């Protein structure tokens, strides 16, 4: 049997961002696959060494177009730790609120991408329509739909008045109803299950040995969530449930992400109800003392890792960024083994890739 | 005068121009309906025409290694096949003489474009085209059998191999739609495969095959392929109306015409709804569904009709 | 098992120096200084103790190159390795942690540190035909790479 090598990417309707897969087929079955990164490598780690700490906040925000806020959160909290700064609680709460809104936005976007890839355009349209609600909420409170520029070193830039809080609460209620409807649909829909169940399986051992993070790990039975296990921002004061499933396939990943949307909206409501009074930020000193700091946060896709080293000058000496996509990408060749060509799209979508994040 | 009248019938109404117009209208209807099902607004009514004009005025590029003669001939020939089929399925007024066995001719004419579609994948050198072509051939052997078996239910009941015979049998016995509901839905399933609509759009599955066999086509050729597909939809649907809703014939010429059109629109709604509801099948799922479930079902259905 | 206990057991088993700390969130990060030759045995031992999650590998450039292996498993641990200036080689930990592959490849292409036994040493982020040196090194500047120079020369040629 002759093998056909199918190139997917760097430009392909399946991919929203440039990455390149080479998939060897035996008939319709995938025998081998390899991938290549670097098409959107912008050298942000190097750039960050040439900019001041404050400028970097805005640079870091542009790593990702979906989870921009979590990057600045991780970066700002690293510097705040270095400075020994006490960020006001209200600031931390608002920061956390944005994190959760962003999680909702990211997961809804992901559901649309998966649905599109398995040819279920209706769910794609519905989930992106519902995503609009959360985008509008974020725009209303921060002025930006995806790049919010909310975080500053020492707190946040925006404050929420009573009107905004009511707006958020009613928006979240609206969203909740719609998301529950979406979950009901994809849980019951047999054609959705036929295209996602048993596909892209990862066992608990695979997940551990590949250091997988985020919903992909949780769908394989690994109970890990930094919001609960290493709380940052205001998470230690909030009640968090971590949904975990054992199937390890694309279906389990979708269910995990859908439940995380509901969980995130519960968290957001909790924050709105218990928002402490006081200032939202504190003045940060210009000079960052020399030192090293490690900062982690749970992005919608999993653990974001920042390592920051300061030598006492205006610019960071080294800023290492590791995004969850880079970690989860390693499992793709493993997951793609022996699947049907038609399932490649479901598998690739199931991991929830953010190539701009992985390339930096 | 007689010749002029015939020319008018062939070229304008209810012939060439009218069928083309109907095809474009139904394409718009399809897009609009799916858009509404998905909570979108959908395109304006002239969108299919605009698309067609755009494609026909675009530069025509073929990759190196493609047989240019075939690449030009294939869309033309498949367009011709579908166009010819449309003359056997009169819109209200019977223009062509119906003869015993013309239903076979129509089925043949409707299945040829699928084979040509496969060839279109085969003559171009792209990976997606070849894979998509293979898939379309695989798919061909499942839905085509189903379509034939399901449609023969009407032949068995009416005892005639001509469209006119099937129609007139329904005039006395009433339309076959209700008594043969199962057969009707099996035929619709086969038709969706024929038209390569979602959820049977496996050969041109965007997320992995780009555009399947048509990936390397552009400009006029692509426009012609798309027009063929749109025509095929209308012709296939009117085929369904003739075989399962033959009773419309008794409404007279004008009433019959409008009933016919209404039925076409209703059937288009059904197809659009199915497209919007289901996720795309995988090729193995499709073949399993067809050969293990639908085709045996069609056989049993036919057996039942024969014994009755 | 708590990270402190794991550390204690590890140090006792392999006879390492006592750990230092660096800042972290929400708790401090333990830093363990080891030699390149000890790396594989330390990582293997960590695996035995149930520390399996490697967050990433960071490379720093002081007078010497320093590699930081950031582990996380319900507690933080960083392994710190200082490399000799004339011997930029370190064993690859991919056989023990397959998930380390991309981190090692990235450090290898960005800093020119050779990971011995890396299963797939091709560049990860840089182009296949990259000849511009190691971009993250301090003596490399962002706009003086070979590729950049080539492009600017071409542009001038076109204009004159």
């Amino acid at each position: 049997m002759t093998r056909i090598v199918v190139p997917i990417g760097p430009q392909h309707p399946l991919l929203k961002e440039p990455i390149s897969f080479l998939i060897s087929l035996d008939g319709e079955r995938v025998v081998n696959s390899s991938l290549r990164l670097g098409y959107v490598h912008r050298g942000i780690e190097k750039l960050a060494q040439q900019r001041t700490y404050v400028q970097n906040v805005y640079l870091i925000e542009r790593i990702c177009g979906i989870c921009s806020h979590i990057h600045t959160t991780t970066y700002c909290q690293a510097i705040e730790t270095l400075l020994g700064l006490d960020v006001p609680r209200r600031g931390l709460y608002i920061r956390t609120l944005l994190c959760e809104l962003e999680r909702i936005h990211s997961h809804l976007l992901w559901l649309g991408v998966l649905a599109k890839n398995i040819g279920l355009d209706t769910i794609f349209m519905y989930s992106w329509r519902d995503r609009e609600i959360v985008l509008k909420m974020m725009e209303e409170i921060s002025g930006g739909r995806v790049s919010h520029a909310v975080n500053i070193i020492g707190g946040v830039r925006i404050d929420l008045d009573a009107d905004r809080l009511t707006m958020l609460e009613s928006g979240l209620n609206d969203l909740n109803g719609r998301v529950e409807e979406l979950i009901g649909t994809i849980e019951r829909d047999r054609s959705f299950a036929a295209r996602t169940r048993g596909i892209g399986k990862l066992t608990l051992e695979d997940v551990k040995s590949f250091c997988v993070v985020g919903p992909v790990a949780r769908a394989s039975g690994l109970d890990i969530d930094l919001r609960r296990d290493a709380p940052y921002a205001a998470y230690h004061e909030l009640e968090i449930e971590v949904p975990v499933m054992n199937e390890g396939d694309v279906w389990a990943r979708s269910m995990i992400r859908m439940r995380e949307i509901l969980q995130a909206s519960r968290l957001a409501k909790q924050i709105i109800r218990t928002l402490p009074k006081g200032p939202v930020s504190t003045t940060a000193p210009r000079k960052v003392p020399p030192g090293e700091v490690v900062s982690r946060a749970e992005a919608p896709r999993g653990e974001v890792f920042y390592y920051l080293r300061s030598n006492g000058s205006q610019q960071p000496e080294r800023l290492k960024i590791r995004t969850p996509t880079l970690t989860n990408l390693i499992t793709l060749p493993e997951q793609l083994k022996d699947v049907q060509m038609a399932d490649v799209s479901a598998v690739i979508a199931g991991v929830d890739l953010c190539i701009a994040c992985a390339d930096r | 005068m007689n010749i002029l009248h015939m020319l008018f019938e062939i070229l304008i109404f209810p012939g060439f121009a009218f069928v083309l117009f109907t095809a474009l209208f139904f394409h718009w209807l399809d897009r609009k309906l799916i858009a509404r099902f998905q909570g979108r607004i959908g395109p304006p009514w002239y969108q299919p025409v605009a698309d067609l004009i755009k494609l026909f005025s675009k530069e025509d590029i073929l990759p190196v290694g493609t047989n240019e003669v075939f690449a030009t001939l294939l869309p033309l020939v498949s367009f011709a096949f579908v166009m010819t089929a449309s003359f056997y399925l009169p819109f209200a007024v019977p223009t062509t003489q119906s003869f015993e066995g013309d239903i076979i001719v129509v089925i043949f004419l409707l299945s040829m474009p699928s084979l040509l579609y496969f060839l279109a994948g085969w003559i171009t050198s792209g990976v997606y085209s070849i894979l998509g072509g293979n898939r379309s051939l695989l798919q061909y052997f499942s839905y085509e059998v189903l379509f034939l078996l399901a449609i023969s239910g009407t032949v068995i009941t009416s005892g005639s191999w001509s469209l006119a015979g099937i129609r007139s049998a329904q005039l006395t016995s009433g339309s076959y739609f209700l008594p043969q509901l199962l057969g009707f839905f099996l035929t619709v399933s086969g038709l969706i495969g024929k038209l390569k609509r979602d959820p049977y759009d496996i050969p041109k599955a965007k997320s992995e095959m780009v555009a399947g066999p048509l990936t390397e086509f552009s400009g006029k050729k692509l426009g012609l392929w798309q027009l063929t597909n749109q025509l095929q939809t209308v012709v296939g649907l009117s085929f369904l109306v003739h075989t399962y809703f033959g009773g419309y014939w008794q409404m007279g010429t004008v009433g019959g015409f409008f009933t016919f059109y209404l039925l076409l629109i209703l059937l288009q709604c059904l197809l659009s709804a199915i497209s919007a509801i289901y996720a795309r099948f995988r090729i193995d799922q499709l073949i399993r569904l067809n050969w293990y479930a639908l085709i045996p079902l069609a056989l049993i259905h036919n057996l039942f009709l024969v014994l009755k | 098992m708590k990270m402190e206990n794991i550390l204690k057991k590890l140090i006792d088993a392999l006879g390492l120096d006592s750990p230092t700390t660096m800042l972290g969130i929400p708790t401090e990060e333990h830093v363990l200084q080891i030699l390149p030759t000890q790396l594989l045995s330390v990582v293997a031992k960590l695996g035995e103790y149930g520390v399996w999650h490697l967050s990433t590998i960071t490379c720093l450039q002081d007078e010497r190159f320093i590699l930081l292996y950031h582990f996380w498993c319900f507690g933080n641990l960083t392994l710190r390795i200082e490399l000799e200036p004339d011997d930029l080689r370190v064993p690859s930990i991919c056989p023990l942690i397959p998930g380390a592959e991309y981190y090692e490849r990235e450090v290898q292409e960005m800093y020119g540190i050779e990971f011995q036994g890396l299963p797939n040493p091709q560049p990860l982020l840089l182009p296949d035909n990259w000849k511009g040196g190691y971009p993250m090194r301090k003596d490399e500047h962002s706009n003086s790479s070979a590729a950049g120079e080539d492009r600017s020369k071409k542009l001038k040629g076109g204009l004159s």
Side-chain angles (χ1 to χ4, degrees):
Chain A
M1 185 84 191
T2 47
R3 292 212 172 140
I4 302 179
V5 179
V6 183
I8 292 189
Q11 270 84 40
H12 192 279
L14 165 63
L15 304 161
K16 310 314 174 235
E17 289 175 274
I19 179 175
S20 170
F21 295 93
L22 281 179
I23 291 174
S24 315
L25 287 181
D26 178 2
E28 281 274 322
R29 196 174 56 87
V30 177
V31 279
N32 204 359
S33 60
S34 64
L35 62 94
R36 185 79 173 79
L37 275 172
Y39 296 96
V40 275
H41 178 60
R42 289 149 290 169
I44 283 186
E45 284 180 19
K46 182 87 174 176
L47 267 176
Q49 295 173 15
Q50 296 157 7
R51 276 160 180 67
T52 64
Y53 287 99
V54 177
Q55 284 173 329
N56 273 336
V57 179
Y58 303 95
L59 175 68
I60 296 298
E61 183 137 31
R62 272 134 193 94
I63 287 179
C64 183
I66 306 168
C67 43
S68 53
H69 179 76
I70 198 79
H71 280 284
T72 50
T73 304
T74 326
Y75 173 73
C76 287
Q77 72 187 14
I79 295 172
E80 285 152 10
T81 315
L82 260 184
L83 289 166
L85 216 58
D86 238 350
V87 182
R89 275 182 71 217
R90 192 178 173 86
L92 287 180
Y93 266 68
I94 292 174
R95 198 178 265 183
T96 317
L97 176 72
L98 256 293
C99 285
E100 291 309 315
L101 290 182
E102 199 173 69
R103 195 179 313 276
I104 298 173
H105 147 59
S106 169
H107 284 348
L108 278 174
L109 180 132
W110 169 84
L111 177 68
V113 171
L114 175 72
K116 176 87 191 152
N117 282 1
I118 61 170
L120 195 58
D121 283 18
T122 311
I123 294 289
F124 159 59
M125 293 294 171
Y126 280 11
S127 74
W128 279 41
R129 182 195 65 193
D130 298 344
R131 170 175 159 262
E132 210 57 27
I133 301 173
V134 71
L135 283 178
K136 283 220 177 81
M137 286 183 340
M138 291 197 283
E139 188 180 14
E140 182 70 29
I141 58 177
S142 73
R145 282 158 64 90
V146 285
S147 288
H148 318 296
V150 160
N151 278 323
I152 51 176
I153 299 166
V156 291
R157 177 179 61 84
I158 55 161
D159 200 357
L160 300 174
D161 52 21
D163 284 354
R164 293 252 161 87
L165 289 180
T166 1
M167 181 276 295
L168 280 175
E169 182 113 43
S170 70
L172 283 169
N173 284 336
D174 184 16
L175 192 82
N176 250 13
R178 286 167 183 240
V179 170
E180 262 158 21
E181 202 175 297
L182 265 182
I183 294 178
T185 312
I186 62 170
E187 242 172 356
R188 280 196 304 272
D189 188 34
R190 287 181 49 197
S191 66
F192 183 83
R195 292 301 307 277
T196 51
R197 268 191 197 272
I199 289 160
K201 273 207 165 192
L202 283 179
T203 60
L204 187 58
E205 284 71 47
D206 290 338
V207 163
K208 282 190 167 183
S209 68
F210 284 114
C211 304
V212 175
V213 293
V216 181
R218 289 194 280 277
S220 294
L222 187 63
D223 193 2
I224 171 178
D225 190 327
L226 289 171
R227 292 178 292 168
R228 181 198 60 196
D229 303 331
Y232 54 94
Y235 283 113
H236 56 281
E237 295 170 18
L238 301 169
E239 288 163 37
I240 301 159
E241 302 157 35
V242 181
V244 177
M245 287 173 95
N246 292 315
E247 284 91 335
D249 52 7
V250 176
W251 197 80
R253 281 169 214 158
S254 6
M255 288 302 133
I256 290 272
R257 288 195 176 103
M258 290 304 104
R259 279 175 210 168
E260 278 182 17
I261 295 179
L262 293 181
Q263 159 72 16
S265 99
R266 269 199 298 277
L267 272 176
K269 276 190 212 158
Q270 220 176 317
I271 292 167
I272 293 167
R273 275 197 303 275
T274 57
L275 192 65
K277 298 242 172 328
V280 289
S281 63
T282 153
T283 327
R286 275 296 166 84
K287 212 163 158 55
V288 178
E292 292 173 286
V293 61
V294 162
S295 172
R296 290 181 170 90
E298 184 80 15
R301 291 171 180 72
E303 173 203 28
V304 176
F305 175 94
Y306 272 60
Y307 167 85
L308 182 80
R309 180 163 147 152
S310 151
N311 54 4
S313 70
Q314 292 275 322
Q315 295 100 8
E317 194 192 347
R318 176 84 169 97
L319 181 66
K320 169 76 188 176
I321 304 159
R322 202 278 279 135
T323 53
T325 304
L326 188 67
T327 316
N328 293 346
L329 259 180
I330 307 180
T331 60
L332 262 182
E334 182 72 25
Q335 290 185 46
L336 284 175
K337 233 169 246 167
D338 281 337
V339 302
Q340 297 271 319
M341 179 60 196
D343 289 332
V344 168
S345 53
V347 170
I348 290 177
V351 179
D352 195 3
L353 298 180
C354 175
I355 312 304
C357 271
D359 279 1
R360 302 179 302 280
Chain B
M1 196 60 208
N2 206 12
I3 290 172
L4 272 181
H5 186 72
M6 265 175 68
L7 267 181
F8 180 78
E9 273 192 347
I10 290 172
L11 288 179
I12 309 207
F13 183 85
F16 201 76
F18 180 68
V19 174
L20 268 186
F21 163 76
T22 313
L24 291 174
F25 168 70
F26 273 80
H27 183 56
W28 168 77
L29 187 68
D30 181 26
R31 285 174 65 175
K32 187 82 178 172
L33 281 170
I34 291 182
R36 294 310 299 156
F37 286 139
Q38 297 177 344
R40 290 184 285 127
I41 293 169
W45 64 269
Y46 52 82
Q47 190 64 50
V49 186
D51 283 351
L52 209 61
I53 292 172
K54 188 194 92 177
L55 275 178
F56 273 85
S57 55
K58 283 255 174 185
E59 191 188 356
D60 204 337
I61 306 165
L62 275 180
V64 182
T66 310
N67 189 327
E68 228 170 285
V69 179
F70 274 105
T72 321
L73 274 181
L74 284 176
L76 273 175
V77 172
S78 78
F79 180 73
F81 271 121
V82 185
M83 210 62 221
T84 316
S86 78
F87 287 110
Y88 287 96
L89 299 161
F91 282 47
V93 236
T95 41
T96 355
Q97 286 293 312
S98 183
F99 54 88
E100 199 62 23
D102 62 354
I103 190 165
I104 306 272
V105 175
V106 172
I107 290 173
F108 164 75
L109 289 173
L110 278 180
S111 70
M112 276 318 277
S114 302
L115 278 176
L116 297 175
Y117 188 77
F118 156 74
L119 276 180
W122 206 245
I123 56 156
T124 47
S125 44
V127 178
Y128 306 118
S129 311
I130 292 171
L131 271 176
N134 280 349
R135 279 181 170 195
S136 78
L137 207 58
L138 265 175
Q139 194 178 336
Y140 181 81
F141 287 117
S142 47
Y143 70 75
E144 204 67 40
V145 177
L146 175 68
F147 187 74
L148 258 167
L149 281 175
I151 208 84
S152 52
T154 60
V155 176
I156 291 166
T157 326
S158 65
S160 164
W161 281 101
S162 78
L163 282 165
I166 293 172
R167 262 192 324 254
S168 51
Q170 291 180 68
L171 280 182
T172 46
S173 69
S175 293
Y176 292 151
F177 168 62
L178 278 178
Q180 296 193 21
L181 202 58
L182 177 66
F184 171 73
F185 279 110
L186 291 175
T187 317
V188 168
S189 163
L191 184 67
I192 295 173
K194 236 182 206 328
L195 301 175
K196 295 173 197 65
R197 292 174 58 89
D198 329 3
Y200 287 7
D201 58 341
I202 303 165
K204 52 176 185 179
K206 242 190 252 79
S207 53
E208 66 256 14
M209 292 287 100
V210 188
L214 304 187
T215 308
E216 310 293 355
F217 283 87
S218 57
K220 293 183 193 64
K221 293 177 187 114
L222 184 63
L224 216 49
W225 277 117
Q226 291 190 350
L227 197 59
T228 306
N229 193 269
Q230 290 158 19
L231 260 178
Q232 218 181 349
T233 313
V234 177
V235 174
L237 288 180
S238 54
F239 189 55
L240 279 187
V241 176
H242 280 280
T243 46
Y244 282 99
F245 299 92
Y248 83 90
W249 210 249
Q250 66 202 122
M251 306 292 222
T253 314
V254 179
F257 173 77
F258 282 109
T259 324
F260 180 83
Y261 230 78
L262 195 72
L263 283 168
L264 277 189
I265 290 176
L266 284 177
L267 286 177
Q268 178 66 56
C269 291
L270 178 70
L271 286 195
S272 304
I274 292 173
S275 289
I277 290 170
Y278 291 103
R280 187 184 305 118
F281 284 104
R282 217 160 53 202
I283 189 86
D284 58 320
Q285 288 170 341
L286 173 82
I287 288 170
R288 214 172 298 139
L289 175 75
N290 272 297
W291 281 101
Y292 289 168
L294 300 184
I295 291 175
L297 209 60
L299 278 173
I300 292 166
H301 182 247
N302 284 357
L303 201 66
F304 179 72
L305 288 176
V306 169
L307 293 178
K308 202 171 72 169
Chain C
M1 205 170 4
K2 279 293 247 312
M3 193 50 100
E4 284 77 17
N5 303 342
I6 294 175
L7 261 176
K8 219 166 154 199
K9 265 173 88 176
L10 187 69
I11 290 164
D12 289 346
L14 295 167
L16 304 167
D17 296 337
S18 58
T20 50
T21 57
M22 68 173 155
L23 294 169
I25 296 158
T27 50
E28 288 191 318
E29 182 107 1
H30 303 281
V31 184
L32 202 59
Q33 179 100 25
I34 57 171
L35 296 171
T37 46
Q38 292 172 317
L39 178 65
L40 283 178
S41 53
V42 171
V43 173
K45 268 271 176 290
L46 279 174
E48 270 173 43
Y49 299 152
V51 180
W52 45 265
H53 184 78
L54 176 69
S55 281
T56 193
I57 303 171
T58 307
C59 185
L60 300 173
Q61 187 182 10
D62 281 344
E63 290 84 55
R64 292 173 166 194
F65 284 98
I66 301 165
L67 284 177
L68 300 172
Y69 289 70
H70 304 278
F71 285 90
W72 185 88
C73 201
F74 302 97
N76 308 326
L77 172 66
T78 295
L79 300 180
R80 184 188 174 96
I81 298 178
E82 285 191 17
L83 298 176
E84 296 294 329
D86 51 348
D87 185 22
L88 297 180
R89 284 179 305 175
V90 74
S92 164
I93 59 167
C94 281
L96 299 168
I97 303 179
E101 183 190 330
Y102 286 4
Y103 311 144
E104 290 187 348
R105 275 166 74 182
E106 195 185 338
V107 172
Q108 180 160 309
E109 67 186 342
M110 292 296 176
Y111 281 96
I113 286 159
E114 193 194 328
F115 286 86
Q116 289 171 309
L118 192 59
N120 182 11
Q122 270 120 38
L124 178 71
L125 294 171
L126 296 178
D128 288 323
N129 53 356
W130 176 258
K131 289 184 191 71
Y134 301 111
M136 285 297 284
R137 284 195 183 176
K138 280 192 177 161
D139 40 3
E140 284 283 340
H141 293 293
S142 54
N143 44 10
S144 75
S145 66
E149 271 172 11
D150 275 347
R151 207 173 300 137
S152 61
K153 262 178 213 157
K154 236 184 212 164
L155 202 68
K156 265 177 209 155
L159 284 172
S160 59

